[in-house]
Amino acid sequence: MNVDRELLMQKAHQSGGTDSLIKLALENIDEANPDWTFAASRIYLHQLYESAAVNRGYDANIRYGNFYELIFMLTEKGIYSHRLLSKYTKEDIDYFDKIIQPERDLLFNYLGLYSLATRYLATDHNKNTYELPQERWMIIAMHLMQDEDPKYRNQYVTEAYWALSNLYMTVATPTLTNAGKTHGQLSSCFIDTVDDSLQSIYDSNTDIAKLSKNGGGIGVYMGKIRSRGSSIKGFKGMSSGVVPWIKQLNNTAVNVDQLGTRKGAIAIYLDVWHQDIEPFLDLKLNNGDDRLRAHDIFTGVCLPDYFMEQVEKRGDWYLFDPHEVRQVMGFSLEDFYDENNGDGSWREHYKACVQSEQLTKRVVPAIDIMKRIMKSQLESGTPFMFYRDEVNRQNSNSHNGIIYCSNLCTEITQNQSPTEFLEEYMEAENTIVKKYKAGDYVVCNLSSINLGKAVPNQVLERLIKIQVRMLDNVIDINTLPIKQTQITNQKYRAIGLGTFGWHHVLAKENIRWESDEAVTYADTLYEKIAYFTIRCSMELSKEKGSYPCFEGSKWQSGSYFTGKGYTDEKWIELKQAVAVHGIRNGYLMAVAPNSSTSMIAGSTASIDPVFKPFYFEEKKDFKIAVTAPDLDHNTYDIYRRSAYIVDQRWSVRQNAARQKHIDQSISFNFYVPNTIKASVLLDLHLQAWKEGLKTTYYVRSTSNDVEECEWCES
């Protein structure tokens, strides 16, 4: 939009200030006039430039002050890490100063700029503006490249800045917030596995509190914990089951908030064969005994293929106490999965448990469990669905462990194991030492491609090359609050390269959501992303070495590639190169929800459809009119079929096409009216399972009548 800055300032003065003019511009936003958001953004930019100039002592007309002086000033104030000045010379920083492009501030719409400025730009301790948007991008680039070879480091910083400042990609919220600063870790999510002991339960709670304090979201697998009525030290009926321990974590989520900005976010996963599954599924309901509720955690249920088969054929389902299974049968049911569709070691062990006359068991119709799952989903959005057999069949590191559950946002699937307490002893008169054997405590290091900008500009190959390097560097420079996470991070060097802006790119390519063309496009595009990501990690392995568990993995054997059906020449060459040179990262791709960072980049969230072509974005501190990105007469028809109208069966088909190419998983929501027929919602879940989805995220239901919802009546 062509906006005369001086004229806007003149009008601002006449109308009583820039706040009034911003409000006026925002009030003009509608479907016919979406560009008013950029007018509001430019006025707000002027405010930021003036505030920074006053606080830093330079003329606001030059917009950006001296970069080195900013770094020195905020280092002195204890905001920036001293590493920026110790790793980089003044000559380096002056070089970066010249590269900064203030005109790229004009790429922000108002909501994006407002979100970045109020949540992420570095301020002093009194919240005064110092850092400006392009300086945040440059600081992130410098921070992530600080340990690269000095011969190439400035080139890498320049490339990372190019990727960030053009909004071709975003880093995860903790990286966006904390990079370059004195404290705070850079990773988004963690997954813990709790063992069946008092020591493990309380140790886990302490670790989760530390991670939550530092801004992490946590997934917790509790399927190993004995059920209500189980024995303790041989005394029958003594255990109170998983619910009281989940309520403890609920209190942790409330009382240990994330960096003082929001309450902790914890997702608890339980197996559908666990004897406590029914009270677990009721945890989020708004009725019933509140002493048995945990309203501030999220729930996820781990589902084997055999359960879904029993649901479909209306068969019986057996519930067991995992402690009793271990004691009587000599194995843990959760440690197996079905290696093939319709057959495998999990169902063999499950059927052995069913046949055992020594085991206590309870039988319920499988469809009744599924009804309770769906009832909870329509009331609370959860539980999330975790299809454990498909996840483990597709695990590229199945040689080294098993995946029990996913994370808070259902996109991470990596090997897990509980940390084991070994011994406690006195080392000196007043020194007590506790020894542990570290388990695989999963860490997710995320960033996302902005499909709406990167694809039309044909920069995927260049972008992913720098993006993989940035993500890999997070692993080495991160400061994580518990040791197990550091060990696991180095062991697998897992990253999660994802995407957002799917609906945005469909609109720009003029592809209807409910079409075979969209499914084919998802297949083609995500195969391309997978190819570039794997190739870049292989190239990085040549330079820096493979992750420690590469030997014996599906990457090394090549079965990862054959399993995906990658048989053309370029894939065969890449498969051979990986076998020879290794791969830097044991896990590579994951599509997160990324609603906050996609908002900053002015695109659509994750792989979701927009809510409406025009709507109001509401948070606790603002309500702002928003239109779909690049909304005009060409794109309106694509956006018109919005979240609660679009046929979810097409969404499942699209997601199955992209899931084939993503080695981890995808945060995939269902959007349904709360009046949806149970049979239709059940069919969606069965379709998702049959088409190979690994996880599904929220069932987002609306109480409003949904117009044009023919599909949900079928």
Side-chain angles (χ1 to χ4, degrees):
M1 180 180 183
N2 293 319
V3 178
D4 188 309
R5 185 164 164 265
E6 293 304 319
L7 182 60
L8 282 171
M9 294 310 109
Q10 185 180 345
K11 287 184 177 180
H13 181 73
Q14 293 169 353
S15 63
T18 53
D19 286 342
S20 299
L21 198 55
I22 289 172
K23 184 180 178 184
L24 181 65
L26 294 175
E27 288 170 352
N28 277 284
I29 298 173
D30 59 26
E31 289 164 291
N33 300 285
D35 282 349
W36 276 102
T37 184
F38 292 102
S41 175
R42 293 186 185 194
I43 302 163
Y44 188 48
L45 269 173
H46 181 75
Q47 282 187 332
L48 289 177
Y49 294 155
E50 286 198 330
S51 297
V54 169
N55 294 325
R56 290 161 57 178
Y58 62 85
D59 183 352
N61 287 318
I62 64 172
R63 295 179 291 178
Y64 277 72
N66 184 275
F67 189 43
Y68 181 83
E69 289 178 6
L70 169 71
I71 294 174
F72 187 84
M73 193 179 299
L74 289 188
T75 303
E76 289 284 293
K77 290 178 179 288
I79 307 298
Y80 280 167
S81 166
H82 65 86
R83 289 184 177 185
L84 294 171
L85 292 176
S86 64
K87 298 276 185 177
Y88 294 95
T89 66
K90 185 175 185 302
E91 289 73 21
D92 290 331
I93 296 170
D94 287 343
Y95 171 74
F96 300 144
D97 195 353
K98 292 173 185 173
I99 288 169
I100 284 175
Q101 304 278 324
E103 62 273 13
R104 290 182 187 165
D105 285 345
L106 303 180
L107 295 173
F108 292 109
N109 63 26
Y110 180 75
L111 180 58
L113 182 65
Y114 179 85
S115 302
L116 182 70
T118 55
R119 299 182 196 176
Y120 303 111
L121 294 186
T123 64
D124 67 10
H125 294 294
N126 296 315
K127 302 295 183 184
N128 293 311
T129 302
Y130 279 80
E131 187 183 72
L132 291 169
Q134 298 305 313
E135 291 163 336
R136 175 92 301 247
W137 301 141
M138 187 61 82
I139 291 291
I140 293 169
M142 291 170 62
H143 186 75
L144 296 186
M145 298 303 174
Q146 62 181 283
D147 291 329
E148 290 285 356
D149 185 333
K151 286 190 295 185
Y152 308 107
R153 187 174 59 192
N154 286 5
Q155 176 188 338
Y156 295 143
V157 171
T158 303
E159 278 292 281
Y161 172 73
W162 163 82
L164 290 163
S165 64
N166 280 296
L167 305 182
Y168 289 142
M169 63 161 287
T170 58
V171 290
T173 297
T175 308
L176 184 58
T177 305
N178 297 325
K181 298 180 185 176
T182 51
H183 59 273
Q185 52 83 32
L186 307 176
S187 300
S188 300
C189 285
F190 304 85
I191 310 175
D192 191 15
T193 309
V194 186
D195 220 348
D196 184 38
S197 70
L198 201 63
Q199 180 80 43
S200 182
I201 290 167
Y202 277 98
D203 283 342
S204 177
N205 203 329
T206 301
D207 290 341
I208 288 165
K210 290 178 182 176
L211 291 168
S212 183
K213 173 186 172 184
N214 283 271
I218 300 105
V220 186
Y221 177 69
M222 300 192 81
K224 291 183 174 293
I225 296 176
R226 65 195 70 190
S227 61
R228 181 176 175 82
S230 181
S231 63
I232 298 177
K233 295 187 181 298
F235 293 96
K236 294 182 178 179
M238 297 296 289
S239 173
S240 54
V242 299
V243 170
W245 305 124
I246 293 172
K247 286 181 70 67
Q248 290 243 14
L249 285 175
N250 189 90
N251 294 336
T252 299
V254 173
N255 295 321
V256 186
D257 61 9
Q258 297 185 54
L259 301 172
T261 59
R262 58 183 176 180
K263 68 184 178 184
I266 301 170
I268 315 289
Y269 286 81
L270 199 70
D271 295 298
V272 75
W273 65 82
H274 195 289
Q275 203 138 51
D276 288 348
I277 189 64
E278 290 167 312
F280 175 79
L281 293 174
D282 292 344
L283 280 169
K284 299 277 286 177
L285 298 182
N286 293 319
N287 54 11
D289 188 346
D290 208 54
R291 292 171 299 178
L292 301 176
R293 301 292 177 262
H295 298 294
D296 302 290
I297 54 92
F298 303 89
T299 55
V301 61
C302 307
L303 306 152
D305 289 345
Y306 194 58
F307 172 77
M308 299 302 288
E309 292 167 20
Q310 293 298 96
V311 167
E312 193 168 29
K313 66 173 66 168
R314 303 301 190 264
D316 287 335
W317 189 247
Y318 289 82
L319 306 179
F320 303 99
D321 167 29
H323 172 69
E324 189 183 25
V325 170
R326 282 190 293 272
Q327 295 295 108
V328 172
M329 305 298 290
F331 59 76
S332 295
L333 197 51
E334 68 272 12
D335 289 345
F336 299 90
Y337 66 93
D338 279 354
E339 295 84 356
N340 304 298
N341 284 313
D343 182 44
S345 56
W346 185 85
R347 69 181 68 202
E348 288 174 12
H349 287 84
Y350 170 82
K351 288 176 180 178
C353 292
V354 171
Q355 295 299 320
S356 172
E357 295 181 358
Q358 296 174 275
L359 276 181
T360 307
K361 61 184 82 76
R362 192 156 61 86
V363 62
V364 293
I367 191 66
D368 286 358
I369 298 288
M370 195 67 182
K371 285 177 182 176
R372 291 180 86 140
I373 288 172
M374 294 190 295
K375 179 187 175 187
S376 179
Q377 287 174 332
L378 289 174
E379 187 167 320
S380 70
T382 64
F384 310 142
M385 308 290 261
F386 176 80
Y387 297 111
R388 65 188 313 278
D389 291 332
E390 185 65 19
V391 167
N392 282 287
R393 281 193 292 266
Q394 300 296 328
N395 180 8
S396 52
N397 291 285
S398 56
H399 68 301
N400 213 43
I402 192 167
I403 303 171
Y404 295 116
C405 74
S406 190
N407 64 318
L408 175 68
C409 303
T410 75
E411 84 279 14
I412 299 302
T413 56
Q414 299 174 22
N415 283 345
Q416 301 168 242
S417 58
T419 293
E420 181 185 350
F421 176 74
L422 298 176
E423 62 175 322
E424 180 179 354
Y425 58 88
M426 299 283 290
E427 190 174 70
E429 184 179 347
N430 60 352
T431 304
I432 300 170
V433 177
K434 292 182 179 180
K435 290 181 70 175
Y436 293 86
K437 179 184 178 183
D440 283 336
Y441 202 125
V442 176
V443 185
C444 24
N445 308 300
L446 304 172
S447 74
S448 299
I449 298 166
N450 182 350
L451 297 177
K453 286 187 183 291
V455 173
N457 286 293
Q458 299 182 321
V459 296
L460 279 181
E461 185 171 5
R462 178 182 174 187
L463 176 62
I464 291 171
K465 186 174 184 178
I466 194 64
Q467 202 171 353
V468 169
R469 186 177 291 271
M470 291 166 74
L471 280 167
D472 185 67
N473 285 344
V474 166
I475 295 163
D476 295 315
I477 62 178
N478 210 357
T479 53
L480 295 168
I482 60 174
K483 300 296 182 187
Q484 305 98 292
T485 57
Q486 295 181 27
I487 294 168
T488 307
N489 226 2
Q490 292 291 338
K491 183 177 178 181
Y492 293 104
R493 301 197 65 83
I495 61 175
L497 186 143
T499 64
F500 61 88
W502 172 246
H503 205 176
H504 188 183
V505 79
L506 286 184
K508 296 192 82 166
E509 298 289 337
N510 195 29
I511 299 173
R512 288 180 59 251
W513 189 280
E514 297 159 299
S515 69
D516 287 317
E517 188 181 2
V519 175
T520 302
Y521 188 59
D523 190 9
T524 304
L525 178 58
Y526 281 85
E527 180 180 350
K528 183 184 291 187
I529 291 168
Y531 176 78
F532 288 142
T533 305
I534 296 167
R535 191 181 70 183
C536 289
S537 187
M538 179 274 294
E539 294 287 348
L540 206 55
S541 180
K542 279 200 241 179
E543 179 186 334
K544 298 184 176 184
S546 296
Y547 71 102
C549 295
F550 173 72
E551 197 76 26
S553 70
K554 290 179 182 176
W555 299 114
Q556 191 220 18
S557 69
S559 61
Y560 179 87
F561 301 92
T562 53
K564 299 288 186 185
Y566 295 148
T567 56
D568 64 21
E569 186 178 346
K570 76 173 188 295
W571 278 109
I572 291 171
E573 288 178 359
L574 181 55
K575 172 184 167 182
Q576 292 168 345
V578 168
V580 172
H581 302 293
I583 199 165
R584 181 67 171 164
N585 312 100
Y587 297 99
L588 286 169
M589 292 161 283
V591 181
N594 53 40
S595 57
S596 296
T597 51
S598 63
M599 195 186 300
I600 289 168
S603 193
T604 58
S606 191
I607 47 139
D608 288 355
V610 296
F611 290 106
K612 291 180 179 178
F614 173 70
Y615 63 98
F616 288 92
E617 182 72 35
E618 295 188 60
K619 300 290 184 184
K620 64 180 182 180
D621 56 344
F622 64 75
K623 178 180 178 180
I624 297 172
V626 179
T627 62
D630 290 304
L631 183 65
D632 59 24
H633 65 285
N634 295 311
T635 60
Y636 180 81
D637 191 53
I638 308 298
Y639 286 130
R640 186 182 67 78
R641 301 290 290 173
S642 54
Y644 290 104
I645 297 173
V646 72
D647 188 334
Q648 300 299 294
R649 292 168 295 194
W650 284 101
S651 300
V652 173
R653 287 187 62 195
Q654 287 178 19
N655 209 43
R658 70 169 63 84
Q659 179 64 84
K660 173 185 173 183
H661 306 293
I662 303 293
D663 65 319
Q664 295 190 71
S665 194
I666 298 163
S667 298
F668 174 72
N669 296 300
F670 288 119
Y671 291 91
V672 301
N674 71 349
T675 54
I676 189 172
K677 293 178 180 178
S679 60
V680 177
L681 182 55
L682 175 60
D683 284 346
L684 280 178
H685 284 306
L686 288 170
Q687 182 193 356
W689 162 63
K690 286 178 180 178
E691 295 206 22
L693 270 61
K694 296 178 181 178
T695 60
T696 63
Y697 196 26
Y698 287 101
V699 173
R700 298 192 182 274
S701 62
T702 175
S703 58
N704 301 325
D705 290 333
V706 177
E707 57 178 322
E708 302 180 65
C709 191
E710 302 96 345
W711 73 269
C712 61
E713 298 296 329
S714 56

